[in-house]
Every structure is written in structure tokens, then in C-alpha cells.
Amino acid sequence: MQSNFTETFMKYVFIVCASLSILSIILIFYFIFEGGVPFILEEGIGNFIFNEVWRPTASNPSFGILPMVVGSLVVTAGAIIIGVPIGVLSSIFMAFYCPDWLYKFAKPAINLMASIPSIVYGYFALRLFVPFFRDLMGGTGMNIVTASTLLGIMILPTIIGLSEASLRAVPKEYYSASVGLGADHDRSVMRVMLPAAKSGILSAIILGIGRAIGETMAVILVTGNQPAIPNDLNQGVRTLTTNIVLEMGYASGRHREALIATAVVLFIFIIILNTTFLFVKNRGGND
Amino acid sequence: MTKKFSFIKILVWAAGLFTLGMLLFIVGYIFYNGIPHLSASMFEWDYSTGNVSMMPSIISTLIIIGASLLIAGPVGIFTGFYLVEYADQKSKFLPIIRLATDTLAAVPSIVYGLFGMLLFVYQFEWGYSHFAGILTVTIMILPIIISSTEEALRSVNDSLRMGSYGLGAGRLRTIFTVVLPVAMPGILSGVILAIGRIVGESAAFIYTLGSSSSMISSLGDSGRTLAVHMYMLSQEGLHVDESYAVASILILIVLFINGLSNLIGNRLGSGGK
Amino acid sequence: MANTKFKIKDLDFYYGDFQALKNINMDIEEKVVTAFIGPSGCGKSTFIKTLNRMQDLVSYARVDGLISLDGQNIYEKGYDANLLRKKVGMVFQHPNPFPKSIYDNIAYGPRTHGIKDKTQLDQIVEESLQAAAIWDEVKDKLDKNATAISGGQQQRICIARAIANDPEVLLMDEPTSALDPISTGKIEELISELKEKYTVVIVTHNMQQAARISDKTAFFLTGEVIEFDDTEKIFSNPTDQRTDDYISGRFG
Amino acid sequence: MANTKFKIKDLDFYYGDFQALKNINMDIEEKVVTAFIGPSGCGKSTFIKTLNRMQDLVSYARVDGLISLDGQNIYEKGYDANLLRKKVGMVFQHPNPFPKSIYDNIAYGPRTHGIKDKTQLDQIVEESLQAAAIWDEVKDKLDKNATAISGGQQQRICIARAIANDPEVLLMDEPTSALDPISTGKIEELISELKEKYTVVIVTHNMQQAARISDKTAFFLTGEVIEFDDTEKIFSNPTDQRTDDYISGRFG
Amino acid sequence: QEGTINVVSREDGSGTRGAFVEIVGVVDENDDDMTTTSAAIQNGTNGVMQTVAGDPNAIGYISLGSLDDTVKAVTVDGAEATPEAINAGEYPIARPFVVAWGEDQSDVSADFLTFIHSQEGQTIVEEEGYIAVDASASAEDEESSEEASSEETTEEASSEETTEEPAEGEESAGAEEAASEEETTEEEASSEETTEEESATEEESTEEESGSVVASLPSYEAAGLEGTIEVVGSTSVTPVMEVLAEEYMALNPDVTINITSNGSSAGIEAATGGAADLGMSSRELTEDEAAALNQANIALDGIAVVVHPESTVEDLSLETIRSIFLGEVTEWEEAAQ
Ligand SMILES: Nc1ncnc2c1ncn2[C@@H]1O[C@H](COP(=O)(O)OP(=O)(O)OP(=O)(O)O)[C@@H](O)[C@H]1O
Ligand SMILES: Nc1ncnc2c1ncn2[C@@H]1O[C@H](COP(=O)(O)OP(=O)(O)OP(=O)(O)O)[C@@H](O)[C@H]1O
Ligand SMILES: [Mg+2]
Ligand SMILES: [Mg+2]
């Protein structure tokens, strides 16, 4: 029999555990913001975010990250367009369409996909996607579309893994009920099972988008990394993350602060994204 | 009306096959480029520029996976318990935790790297070390484990909880003996995802674990994971072939770990089958 | 009355190794209410679910023998199981409303089968809920989630959902088990109305109910049909001793 | 017979804004079978679940008023809800066996409350299954998953599970709704036996059942107790017109 | 060769890029890096190699030590990119590898440095495809480093420019190659002049001692020390450092050397903060950094200009390369003229 003490004690253990993630995020906040916010204030928020010129090492340096902001947005949007539909559909495939013999092989395969290091994806894309898109679109082949495609693929396992789990968690009775009403498999899955798993799928998508925004080591190899606002899909872009990774190894002084400030902006982006989704999710979950 | 929706079938199959095809393609590409370059000398205990041995990296990778799961596993699962089984679903604390975990989940690896470096390596003066690397990735995988645990727990039918409470079982017993076994597969898929994240990570490690190629002798040592090892081998273009060989081994290790955790999961989650 | 709707010949059914139905032969007539009675675990649910191929969903289940609907073998290759299930509606033993609004639950079937028109749907929803004797209780909360209502209400929602689909045959697995006498009365009334147009198969543990509303009754025992005859005959003068024992409560 | 087990005073109950129970006052006596009857959705399940604080688990539920067990307020701060639920066992309206083996289902309660000994557990499991009239059906598959059996079997497993816990009070929410007459008869027998030692509260839609087995009956209507009296009185000579209407089927 | 030139460059701040733009002259009058904004940026040698190897129209530059046959190095003004040519002063594009250390240098760390600058050490440097540097020059530099850095500080304080990459590059290039402090001063004096002149100066100074310096270096003898040395920094320096460390550990079995490879700035920061005994850098230290640290060059690395292996381009003039990277020449047809 569980004593009341153990119950209460464990309850507090659980609360402490739950608080740890808040603590972690606060620590990360603190360290990143401490490094970046003073710089942003000095430079002026507008002048940092809406300035188009990034020339950190020039004799008259200019720290404008608008191109990177645009780059991140564009590439992430592209990744969502490619990755989310394929990911969600694939998870439906895995949960409701995949024959058993294939599933035995496909399930570990998807898990494996999540474990392949970014750099491998990067070199893979550099060797195969870049020439492909160069032939298709002209230019260097290191462009928005290439990066979006690569990211779209890279976020697949994240989306598929969690979406599939929540699809499988939907009680089978719903499916039986739908089929019992003469709905075919497709409709039962799309109209009953999918909506019932909505909230899980949404968090899978958020995680996926988070991965897309945060991905660096692979993207860096295929986006061209030009710090300029693109006006065509076949141009290269630089994302906020690649901006940090590219120059962090060498930056010092104000340049370095500017990079940490870039991380701050990235952070704020993510928070906006998450809050929006939290809001949408709460609204969506209430009906 | 069957016909009207049959394009869904095509769509779903196409997506599934695309994903699998892409994976096969990538894995094939890695094996094609890597397997021929494997040699026994790459598994010697000590690294040298001559053998570019991946043994130290394999050991470090396994240690880091083990240690960070040892921390993030319980913490993440317990957080899930709190969120689903304890917290008042209307409390203000809940959205805060959720926002925190969602944000943690979206923090880019490179930011984790910088953070780990600033806090563990410099502030705590641990230097580049397994400690710093482990703690950094622990925080990184925490949200993955939390959210998959949360989803899995929520999907457990309430009537089961009712059944258990109705017999006078406390929350703890209900959670551990009734809810957890049912939720196990979901939690496990989160754990596997987390392992994947660790194995595939490089940016966060470079700034915390460092990239020492020597065999670990204490957790205070710097080291490198397989992914970092790959990165290091390929970065200067000197050992590109070997880096694919490392990637091949990495894939085999991941498959092995997946198999193992499925086995464990089946044990834990089978209940009374 | 003489038209045969379902013809079942030499039906065997297995869950894995376990044989749940043994050599069932039965003709279910059109526009007639057929009741299945028998002790718990004797295979009533199993059998009723073979009639609209719901057992297809149990991966380890296996059906042997022949079931034909209107003269066509429903287990034949190429037979459209979805169309079958539209024609042969079902109310499950455990209420299983979708986690959607009450309205969407009822409208699900009609929408599946192509009805888009809002006013038409509204009408179907109201009529079905009326028929299932639950309209008054839920008419103000049609947009509420159908899983947060009482057990009996859920059961009636499921009945309404099945009716909304306008089936030819309605299979009901203990449809009034969670209902009070009044609702039960209304459902029984509904069944009597339905039989004007439809064929109804009902599983029930309530002997009086079977006697009251059915025309034919089948008595099941451990996977076999012991006796299948006019309800009157079964309840007044059963051929088999075991049937007699069961309905008079002397069994076991 | 006169000992009061539960004393309920001025009980109001809310699901969010919806008031499901209104000003309930009732004394439930020890070693007596009390039946709750009333139309679907009238609040029977809601009420029965307040007696062992199962409603604590519904986050948006709110209880007002007083319920005391053996003179102690069970909603008092510091009152051990787990101990309460051990003492006040419950069989739910929908069978909810754990997805574990049949054996583990039954042994769950005893194990929770500290019984480890294998032979003792074996004995409890067998006795409980016997009492719930399902031993013969499952004795060869005790290690099978308790979710892959028929609906009625699941219900009896849940009854056995509750009995195995050796409670003082047993709350049963339509325990025989999915059962055939024979199993029902056995459960009713069980209830008569139990009342020697325990207090039993049963929700039922079956008037005959209520009349047969209960000593006291409460009639619920839209969240209120209309009448609560000796069963005999209720069924032969109810005070309230509505009670009369309901039990004679003239209601609504 | 026809078509648009796809320019591939390294990231801003990279030692390779710094040296490349400075020597080739991809800078404006303020010595600001003027690499065309349409250049694709890769953050590692391998990234550049893979990009160029996969794109027939690409041109990039990489560390000579990493050059292999997946790409083709063009000759610059007729000179082939080889250590010999660099030593002979024929091939103009090269940059130094630097190590830096803080105030309290441990004995083992000092001994390791001695080893690097010994005949044995510099032989390894050459074997790895880099260019050896003169030990005595470095040794002197070591001793007088404090003085030298204060000199730098004064000088640069008087200059109008905030970042003086060319000047600094010039200075340490001088430090390696020149045998005496006099020459260093001379070259510093010329630091304000244009890049063409600078490279001319460089050529001059290297001409004075063409051929390898290895033979003239002192031999290393193991001192039998024990301890651990943390080496942190530049990814470009890492490969040669690893070999050096291995060789050293073979001679001094009680010494452990840990190498962490995470970028020049990280290395310098680690050295400043004390997390590293030696910081590796493939760029010059900034004046702040130089004031806080001691530094020495351990090797010279050539920078090869590379194109696709099937490209028909064989030779480019320094001026053409400059125009290409400035974005003035965008078509291979133009470049070929
Ligand atoms: N979880 C819930 N949330 C909100 N309302 C509920 C919930 N459960 C039940 N109700 C409502 O409370 C009222 C009483 O429900 P309760 O389950 O107690 O009825 P009941 O008497 O047990 O009926 P039945 O015989 O159909 O089981 C009903 O109107 C029902 O819709
Ligand atoms: N999914 C299943 N897997 C394996 N065996 C099953 C399954 N469902 C039912 N059975 C077994 O098949 C037999 C017939 O079950 P069925 O559900 O048809 O009984 P029933 O007549 O509907 O009983 P009840 O009146 O209790 O609902 C029972 O012995 C039961 O244990
Ligand atoms: Mg059944
Ligand atoms: Mg109820």
C-alpha cells in the first residue's frame, strides 16, 4: 500500500521535474539575452532587424539581419509546405495503410531517419539536390528551393513519429463506428481518426517547424548563405542559424555580440511561433 | 463515393513511399560511400591520425546516450505525469510549462551549444567535457520526451484510471501499474526520437563536449560523438571517405539501439498478453 | 414477409484458434424483427458483426461459410463492404460516439453518403434524434461533444446515428441495455415502426423484450444456434430442452 | 439494520455550469441493498460516483454539501480518498477491465492493498470469479487479456475485481445491463449474499430487479430525489405521482 | 569554359578567406572585404570542395593541405600551388597558422611548442602538405612577444582603421619569414601601402630564403615531462596539430594532448579564459587579443584556387581572380580572355 507520504513526496518530485524545463528555458534565456540584448539596444532594434546590410567585419561595420530574418522565414515556410503534408500523410500511411510486412521495416526506418546526422543530410543534398536544382532552375543550385526541400525531408521523421503515435492512440471504437456507418477506410481515417488525433499532430508539426528553424549544419551546405534578401526562388539565402554558425568560430567583439543578438532574434521568433500555436491549439481543442 | 476519395489512398501511399524511398536513398548513399572504406583499424581502441579510429567516439556516444537518458528519461516522464495526472488542467502553471517545453523543443542546436558553452564550460569551469555535453543534450531531449509522454498518457482511456482509483489505488499506483504500461509504446517512441536527436547532433556538442579524439577516461574529459567525429573527419576534406564509413557504423548502431529499445518496450508494455 | 434478406449457410467463425461460431444456418427475413438471445459469451455479438463484415477489422478473425444478402454473397471478392455497411447499419454493444459534436455524429453517415445540403442535414439530424427518443434532451446542446453525456444518452445518440444513415437492415446489439423503461419503450416503438420498411436484428438479454418486439427468435449457446423459430413458438413451446431451460431461467 | 452508513445532506453537484444534482438528502443504511432508479440522464451515475469521490477526477466537477461515511465527512480535507475507495468499491456502468491478464485484473486491488502472497492471491482470484459467476468461463484463460472477451464477460470481470477488494460498501452502476438472465440471476444472488456483510448500492433500469433485490429504493428525476423509501412501499404504493407514473411505465 | 561563374567563398572571418581576399586584393580602399554578395558561402574546406566538385562552373579556394583530385587547382600567373612554389615565392596565396597562449604557460605546453618548432615538428608540417616556418624566428617571437604586441598596439592605435587585416597579415607574415626584427619593422612601415605592393614585398622577403627551412632547424629531445595539454581552436589547423600531438605523445608517453576543434575565435577565447593551454587560429589575432596573449606561427598554409576537375580553365591571373571574386567578371568567357 502506498503511504500518503510517498504519494505527496512523489507529487513534489513530479512538480520539481516539471519545473526543470522552465528553469532550463530561463537559464538559456538569461545567457543568450544577456549576451545579445545590450547589443540590440545599442544598435537600435529597428536598425538591427530592419537593416538590410550585413557587413560585420567592414571598417564601418553594418549589422542588419533583415536578410537572415527573411531567409529563415522563407526557408522554413518552404520546409513546411514540403514537409508537413508529406509528413502527416506519411504518418497516416504508417498508422492506417502500411501493410504489416512493410511496417516491420518502415517503422525502424523512420526512426533511423531521425538519427542521421545533419551533416550527412547536408552532404547528401549538396551532392544530389544541388546539381538537380541547378539543372532545373539555373544558378548555383544552392537556393531557397534546395534548402526547403532538404529541410522538408529532415523534419519528416519528427512529424511522422509523433503524429503516428497520436493517430494510433485514437480508440479503435471510433473507427469501427465509422466503418459501421458505411464509411470507407479513407473517410473513416480522414474524418474520424485524423480529427481525433488533431492535437497530437499539431504538436508534432510544431516540433517539426522548430527543427526546421533551428537546423543549421545541413542547411549551411546548400543555401548559398548570401546575406542578401532574395527576390527569386533560385537565389541563395542565409538563415539566422547559419549566420551564427558561419561566423561564430571567428567572430570577436561586436561581431560576436551581433551573432548572439541574432540568437536572441531567433529565440523571439520561436516564442512567437509557439505562443501562436498554443493559442491555436487551445482554440482548436475546445470544440 | 468510394471513388471520390480514392485519391487519398494514392496520396497517402505516395507520401509514405516517398519518405521511405528517400530514406533508402540516403542510407544507400551512405553505405555505398562508406562500407567500402571500413577497415579494422578504424575500430582500434585509440585514435590516431593514421587510423582515424572511431572507437573513442562510439564509446562516448553510448555514454552520452545512456547518461542523458538516465536524467532526461525520468525527468521528462515525470513531467508528463505531472502535466497529465496531477496538474489542474485549468491552472496557469500548465501553459507555462507547455510553452517552456515547446520553446525548448524549438531552440536550435547551435543555441544549445552556445548556452552550454557559456554555462557549463565557462561559468561552471568544467571545460569541454562529457559532463557539459551530457547536460546540454539532456535539456535538448527533455521536451521530446515530455511531449511524447504527455501525448501517450492523454491517450490512455480515462475509464482505466477510474477503474484503478475505484479500487482504492492511489495516483502513483494507478500511474505506474495501469497507465504507464498502456502509454509505454508512445513514450518509447519519444525516447527513440530522443536517441536519434543525440546521435545526429553535432552543433551542440562541438561547443560543449569539444572534439577531443582520445578515449574517455573520466566524464570530465573532452570527447566527440560519432556525428562530431564525422564532421571533424570531413570538415577539412582530408578523410571524407572515412567519414562516410563512420556514418555507416552510426546507422548500424542506431538500428541496434532501436531494436533494443523495442525489446525493452515490449517487455514493459505488454501487460497481460 | 417471405422474402429472405440474409441467407447464412454453414458459417464457422474463428478468433485465432478459438472457434466462436459453429455451423450456423439461418434465413433472416425481410421486414421482420429477429431477436438473438443466449447467455453471455455465446457468440451473439460475434455473429451479428459477421452480417455487415465488421469482423473484417479483427485481423485474427476468420470466417468460413456463406452469408448472402439479397442473394449476393457478401464475402465475395469485389463486394463493396462500405456499401454493405451503409445498407446494413449497426448499433454497437458499447456506445461509441465520435468525439465530435452531437450534430456531427448524426450527420456523419449522411455526409459520408453524399448529402451536403444544410437544411436536409438539419432535418435528418432532428428526425433521427426524435426517433431515438433523445431530441428533447439534446436539442439545446447539439454542438456539445457527444462523449460528455450520460451512458444512456450516448447509446441513443448511437441509435440515432445509425438511423440517420437510412439503412435497409439495422443490427442492434443490446440497444436498450443502458436505458430506463421509458426510453426503452420508445426504442421498442421505433423498432416496430422500422420494421414496416426495414429488417431489424436485435441482440437482447431481456426475454420480455424479445417476446414483445420480435417476430423470430434465435437461441444461441456456446457458438451454436440451438433453436430458431417464430418468437411465439420459442417462448411458448420450444422444441429444445435447453431453450426451455434458458428462457424459463432454469439454465446452468 | 438501523445503522446509517452514508449520510448525505443538501448535496448539490455541478458539471461546470450544469447542475446535475439538486439538494439531495438521503441516509443509506448499513447491510441493506439500496436501489437507484430513474430515467436516463437523471443523475444516478453522477450521484453514485460522489459516494466514493470518483468525481474528484473530473476537473470541472464541483460538489456542494455534505456526505459522511460512518459519521465522517468524506470531502473533508485530509480524508484519504484511496482508503475511501478501498472501503467503497465500485462497478462502473461501462465495463473497464485493464488491458492486463484476467488474473492481474482481479489481483490488482488486493495487491494494491498489500497482499503479496501468491497462494492467497490465487484464492482471492478464484473466489471472486466464482462469486461473479464467471469462473467456469475463464478459468482456463486467466492469463488472457481481459479486453478480448465478450461484453458480458467483461462486466463480470469488473464485478469480480470489485469484490476481490473486499469492500464495506459496493456501488454498482447497472451491473447486469449486459448480462443474460442466468448470469443476472447469479449476480443478484451474489448481491443477496453480500448484504449479509456489506452495504450495496445499485443503479438499475430493471424495475423487477430493483423490486426483487433491494430493500430501499430511490427514484431520481432530473437531478432530484423524488422519493426514497422502502422498496415495497415505492413499488406498491408510492407517495409521489411521478414515481407511480415511472414505475408503471406511464411516464413522459 | 563557358557560362556564368559560380563563385564559392568561405565565411566572413574565416582565416582562409581573410588571407585570400587580402592577398588577392578583393578589398576596397578601406581594406574591407568586397567579395561579391552573390558568392555562395561554405563554412568548411570540404563544403567548398564538394560544391566545386559538383559544379562545372564553380570557382573556390581551399587550404592547400586539403587539396585532392576531386577538384582541380588552377595555376596562378603560371605558378602551381605547391609548397615548393610557395617557398620559392612563386605562388603568392598563403597564410600562417598561429597558436596563442596566456600568461602562465605550463612546462609541457612550452615543450610541445619547442617540439613543433623543431626539425622533427616542421618535417611533419611539410609532410602534411604545409610549409615549414623558421624555428628561431618563432622562438624569438615567443620571447619578445610582449614587446611585439605592445608595439603593435601603439602602431595600430595611431592608424585610422579599426580593423587592419592587411596590416596584421602583413606583419605576421613578416614575422615568420624575416629572420630579424629589423625586417619586421621595415615591413610594418610599408603596411599602409596597397596590396599589390604588399605581395611584392612578401615575394621579396621569401625570395631571400627560398627552399625549405627544415634542415636548418634544431632537433628536438624529449624532456620527459608529464601532464595534459588542452589545444583548442581552428578547424583548419587541427589536422596538422593532431599529427604533431601524436608524434609528441609518442616521444613523451606521460603527456596527454586533447585537441578540440571549434573555430579560431573559440580557440583564442579558450586560451584567454584559460580553458586551453594553446589556442589555434587560422587568422591573425586582433589587437585586443594580441595584447592578452602570446603567439607564434607554426606553419604556413597555401591557398589553392580550385575549379571543377573537368573545367578547361588551367591558369588564371591574380588580377582575374580578383575580378571574379569582386563580381566584376561574371562569365567564364570573360575570365578566359
Ligand atoms: N462528464 C460529464 N460532463 C458534463 N455533463 C455530464 C457528464 N456526465 C454526465 N453529464 C450530464 O449529467 C446528467 C446526469 O448524468 P448521469 O450520467 O448521472 O445520468 P444517469 O442517471 O447515470 O443516466 P444513464 O441511465 O443514462 O446512465 C446528464 O444530463 C448528462 O448529460
Ligand atoms: N476480440 C476477441 N478476441 C478473442 N475472443 C473473443 C473476442 N471477442 C469475443 N471473444 C470470445 O468469443 C466468444 C463470443 O463472444 P461474443 O462477444 O460474441 O459474445 P456475446 O454473445 O455477444 O456475449 P455478451 O452477451 O456477453 O455480449 C466469447 O467466448 C468471447 O470470449
Ligand atoms: Mg456481445
Ligand atoms: Mg449512468
Side-chain angles (χ1 to χ4, degrees), chain B residues 159 164-165 167 173 177 272, chain D residues 85 96 100 108 112-113 165:
Chain B
S159 74
S164 175
Y165 290 133
L167 291 168
R173 189 171 164 79
T177 56
Chain D
R85 295 184 193 124
N96 54 354
K100 297 170 179 276
Y108 185 83
T112 299
H113 301 291
N165 223 356

Side-chain angles (χ1 to χ4, degrees), chain E residues 2-54:
Chain E
E2 324 187 316
T4 310
I5 303 175
N6 290 332
V7 179
V8 184
S9 176
R10 286 291 299 277
E11 68 277 19
D12 213 344
S14 122
T16 316
R17 174 163 169 172
F20 178 83
V21 296
E22 166 211 331
I23 297 164
V24 176
V26 191
V27 288
D28 65 5
E29 61 280 6
N30 293 326
D31 292 323
D32 285 345
D33 189 330
M34 293 303 289
T35 303
T36 171
T37 51
S38 65
I41 308 293
Q42 285 294 356
N43 79 325
T45 305
N46 193 32
V48 176
M49 285 168 74
Q50 301 262 353
T51 309
V52 174

Side-chain angles (χ1 to χ4, degrees), chain C residues 70-85:
Chain C
D70 297 330
Q72 241 195 315
N73 179 2
I74 61 170
Y75 279 91
E76 200 169 62
K77 239 189 104 138
Y79 194 96
D80 185 343
N82 300 319
L83 212 58
L84 171 69
R85 295 183 193 125

Side-chain angles (χ1 to χ4, degrees), chain E residues 189-206:
Chain E
S190 69
S191 69
E192 277 163 347
E193 293 167 37
T194 61
T195 35
E196 279 92 330
E197 271 171 293
E198 274 172 47
S199 40
T201 321
E202 210 169 285
E203 266 171 57
E204 257 169 49
S205 60
T206 39

